Amino acid sequence: MKSSLVAISAAAVVATLVTGLKDRAALQERFGIPAVKPAPELMMMGRIKPSDAPAGNPDFNAEAVADKIEAITSPQPPAPDTPEPNAAKESPAAPQTEAPQTAGEPAPVPPAIVTQPPAPQQAAASPQPDVDESALRYFASRGDKVRLQAEISRLQALYPNWVPPADPLAVPQNGDKQLEAMWKLYSDGRYAELRKAIADRQAADAGWQPPTDLLDRLDVAEARARLINASDLKQYATVVDIGAATPSLLTCSEVDVLWRVAEAFVRTERSQRGQDAYAYILKNCGDPAERRATVEKASTLLDYQPMQALLALEKPAADGGKEFDGIRDNLARRFVAESNEDPKLSIAPNYLARLERLAESEGLASDALLLGWYQLRRNNPADAEKWFRAARAKEETAVASQGLALALIARRAPQEAEDVMFRWRADSDDATSTYLAATANLMALQPPADLTEEVLHRVAAEVIARKYVPTAQQFGWYARSLNQFQTAARWFETALAWKPDDEPSAYGLAVTRDQLNDRKGVLDLQRAWAGRSARIANLEGTPVSNAGAQPAKPPLAPQQPVQPAAAQPEPEVSVRVAKPAMHTLAVERGPRRALGCSTTIDAEQLGPSEALSRGWCLMEINRPMEAVPAFETALQSPVRKIREDAAYGQSLAYLRAGLSSNAAVAATKAPQSRQRAAELQVAILADRALQAFDAGRYRETLIYLDQRAQLQQERIDLMVLRGYSYLNLKMYDDAGRIFEAAAATGNRDATRGLADLRRITHPDVND
């Protein structure tokens, strides 16, 4: 009678626990259980601890029994469809965990989140309970050590007073072959066939009832299969629901299920619950491989800070190190990558140091890239550049080139950044943005960069193709710095066509039109921007007549490029800094006294005035490259007039040497008068037209000639050049018109051009 009362009391307590565990606060209030902070709140996980030794028989050794069984049954090979012991843990077809707790079962071993039940459950004098040992006998007969040990642990947890038999093979058999066949179906994971076998026997024998243990285990196995299927299909809410309804799955013998439930929590935005699940494994489960796998899986889902809490549960390894040392390299990579996504995240220095050692010892481009982005996002461009260069040395990719380009932009080296990214400019949207940012910064350099024709043409082509306003605007300022005001105006107009509300481009156009004495154009801009730009409205009060002056430009944001406006008609804009063949410019200037410059003298040892005189002397005896350093020394003079003459002379020297790009840059070193600026511009454009023609770029030749014609009436020799450009472009009517006009002046080259045109257009006519 007393034991019956104890059993009834225990059943009531367990029923209350099962129904109340989902509301932990209510359960604690009902039973006066204090809150346990360190324990995970993962539904009912941890209710059963298979690793606990059976309390009823402290001398029982399950492993020894299993070995004995194996020895007895070794002559009989196991059935071919029996699952492997190692696979049994993870396969839904091979359950090896405890059955669900029901209201009529005795209380389990105290779980991690539930304190000890009331004292009545501790009664030790109860008689041996009636336990269904059919599964125990079946697993023993098949020599399945893993399932046998799991079954013993399960029964001991369900029935604390039950003492497992010393030899499970000695358990009397009941001779029920049909039941034995059902257990085999269960063992083989053929759950649907098992359900049918149970139903068929009940239909044939109305008085027969299947063992409760078999039904419970079948329910759990089917729940496991549903949970795994839902996890594979990424139905994470279903995973959590099945886990909540089947708490006996959430134990160390079902680590795969625990992993899936933990992931489901994280995927459903309950990261703390997911962290608790992983922590439960590390606190309660002892398999080293499963513990390492737990940390690896958690690192792909949890953020840096929760991972540090899990790593704090690490245990010492047998070799004196730590159990997670084997995966710490990958953890360092993971944490640095996470910090790259969130620049505000500060990771422990030891992870960064470990990754640096890996990058240097293993030489992986991926490690160098992680370090490069880490340094770049923390405004350390020099360190970032080092690692990006190392990554490109191992494997030149778009990502490595993009990182290097951004580092170069940050340290004000956009020319190399443009060169690095040009190959990858169309690889992705990010690569395109990086390349365009490099071009904008390149064109904004002060003093202007000395760029080759190839670079300028490819930059201009990309800017026009992408309709990128910041670089188009900077092209305008760049052209102004070279006193190419017509070209500057067209670039500013282009930028405004793409983005009509771009005030810096409108201001650049206004000052350039003022430079060209286009008062009507200036007034039109002032009316259009009235009330929107004070500096455009007050343009008359600014010193815009100085050819060498450049208004202040707004700062660029290279990593946040401005998006282009809606598509507009593309203008025919060209870049006009080249290195043409030698073309001498005849410029009238005042008489200068030759000082005798046939001997070689270091110009740096002369005073500015003497150096200027020597420069002009060298020009008169046609030694332009020796004149260049003399004029450079004169540019250091504090006297404005000497600086102006020196800049002018150096430009002429470069032109005579055929270095028009250098000539354009030299002209900006000191302000020039309007007349001198126009003379230099005309000469530079003529030389560039000649070089473009020699290179077979006939459309570009026409652009240069058109620009020159806006500044000065076209010479006859250049008209002939224009005619031949039209001829090569098969624009025969235009070529004929130009040749006829030039030939009317008696020019022989023009007459020859007419003859060439007739031979092409009328090949059958015998001249």
Side-chain angles (χ1 to χ4, degrees), residues 677-692:
E679 289 172 349
L680 291 173
Q681 183 113 348
V682 166
I684 291 170
L685 288 172
D687 281 353
R688 288 171 179 165
L690 287 170
Q691 186 197 20

Side-chain angles (χ1 to χ4, degrees), residues 65-79:
V65 172
D67 292 339
K68 179 180 179 181
I69 292 171
E70 183 179 20
I72 295 174
T73 58
S74 57
Q76 301 177 1

Side-chain angles (χ1 to χ4, degrees), residues 690-701 728-729:
L690 287 170
Q691 186 197 20
F693 184 86
D694 292 341
R697 298 192 298 272
Y698 305 114
R699 292 189 182 278
E700 183 180 330
T701 302
N728 283 287
L729 292 171

Side-chain angles (χ1 to χ4, degrees), residues 424-751:
W424 307 99
R425 65 193 183 282
D427 187 78
S428 65
D429 290 342
D430 285 344
T432 300
S433 297
T434 301
Y435 176 75
L436 292 174
T439 64
N441 283 270
L442 173 59
M443 302 310 299
L445 282 178
Q446 289 298 324
D450 184 12
L451 305 177
T452 65
E453 178 185 9
E454 178 188 0
V455 171
L456 282 168
H457 271 282
R458 74 189 189 190
V459 170
E462 287 297 318
V463 169
I464 292 174
R466 308 285 181 180
K467 294 180 171 58
Y468 189 65
V469 174
T471 305
Q473 178 202 133
Q474 293 302 332
F475 257 117
W477 296 117
Y478 183 82
R480 278 183 55 81
S481 70
L482 302 180
N483 297 323
Q484 299 173 3
F485 304 114
Q486 291 287 350
T487 302
R490 297 183 68 180
W491 274 111
F492 289 131
E493 289 168 354
T494 299
L496 283 173
W498 297 337
K499 191 173 187 294
D501 62 344
D502 189 50
E503 192 272 349
S505 295
Y507 178 66
L509 180 59
V511 297
T512 304
R513 285 178 175 176
D514 182 75
Q515 193 83 40
L516 296 170
N517 291 322
D518 182 4
R519 296 306 306 161
K520 181 180 181 302
V522 174
L523 291 174
D524 290 343
L525 281 170
Q526 287 178 324
R527 283 192 293 268
W529 286 85
R532 292 191 292 165
S533 173
R535 60 178 178 171
I536 294 178
N538 300 326
L539 190 60
E540 291 182 352
T542 60
V544 296
S545 60
N546 188 341
Q550 177 177 332
K553 301 184 290 295
L556 293 176
Q559 297 190 39
Q560 297 179 353
V562 180
Q563 296 297 323
Q568 300 289 338
E570 297 186 8
E572 291 291 335
V573 183
S574 181
V575 184
R576 307 169 358 273
V577 177
K579 294 183 178 179
M582 181 177 293
H583 185 74
T584 303
L585 172 66
V587 181
E588 292 187 7
R589 51 184 174 80
R592 308 200 186 278
R593 181 171 59 88
L595 298 178
C597 50
S598 58
T599 58
T600 301
I601 299 176
D602 186 359
E604 293 184 358
Q605 298 179 1
L606 301 175
S609 179
E610 293 175 342
L612 179 63
S613 298
R614 178 174 175 80
W616 288 119
C617 176
L618 291 168
M619 288 289 288
E620 289 176 357
I621 61 176
N622 199 27
R623 290 160 61 179
M625 292 312 295
E626 293 181 56
V628 168
F631 287 127
E632 187 67 31
T633 300
L635 280 167
Q636 310 306 316
S637 173
V639 181
R640 176 175 177 178
K641 177 60 176 173
I642 294 179
R643 292 199 307 273
E644 291 177 359
D645 289 346
Y648 180 58
Q650 193 176 65
S651 298
L652 295 178
Y654 278 127
L655 278 172
R656 188 171 297 181
L659 302 174
S660 57
S661 295
N662 301 69
V665 173
T668 66
K669 293 183 178 180
Q672 300 294 320
S673 67
R674 189 181 296 272
Q675 180 182 358
R676 279 185 173 179
E679 289 172 349
L680 291 173
Q681 183 113 348
V682 166
I684 291 170
L685 288 172
D687 281 353
R688 288 171 179 165
L690 287 170
Q691 186 197 20
F693 184 86
D694 292 341
R697 298 192 298 272
Y698 305 114
R699 292 189 182 278
E700 183 180 330
T701 302
L702 293 173
I703 291 174
Y704 290 145
L705 291 174
D706 288 343
Q707 293 172 346
R708 184 191 178 282
Q710 294 177 1
L711 302 176
Q712 189 180 83
Q713 184 177 357
E714 198 160 77
R715 301 194 311 260
I716 299 301
D717 61 332
L718 294 179
M719 289 180 64
V720 175
L721 191 69
R722 180 186 292 274
Y724 273 104
S725 296
Y726 284 136
L727 183 63
N728 283 287
L729 292 171
K730 299 181 181 181
M731 302 170 65
Y732 301 129
D733 291 341
D734 292 328
R737 175 174 52 81
I738 295 298
F739 284 141
E740 288 174 358
T745 66
N747 185 278
R748 294 181 179 181
D749 291 334
T751 303

Side-chain angles (χ1 to χ4, degrees), residues 65-128:
V65 172
D67 292 339
K68 179 180 179 181
I69 292 171
E70 183 179 20
I72 295 174
T73 58
S74 57
Q76 301 177 1
D81 55 350
T82 302
E84 292 295 326
N86 291 337
K89 288 188 178 182
E90 298 186 9
S91 172
Q96 47 184 306
T97 60
E98 300 76 9
Q101 301 297 318
T102 61
E105 295 174 344
V109 174
I113 61 171
V114 180
T115 56
Q116 285 284 3
Q121 294 190 30
Q122 304 294 330
S126 299
Q128 180 79 353

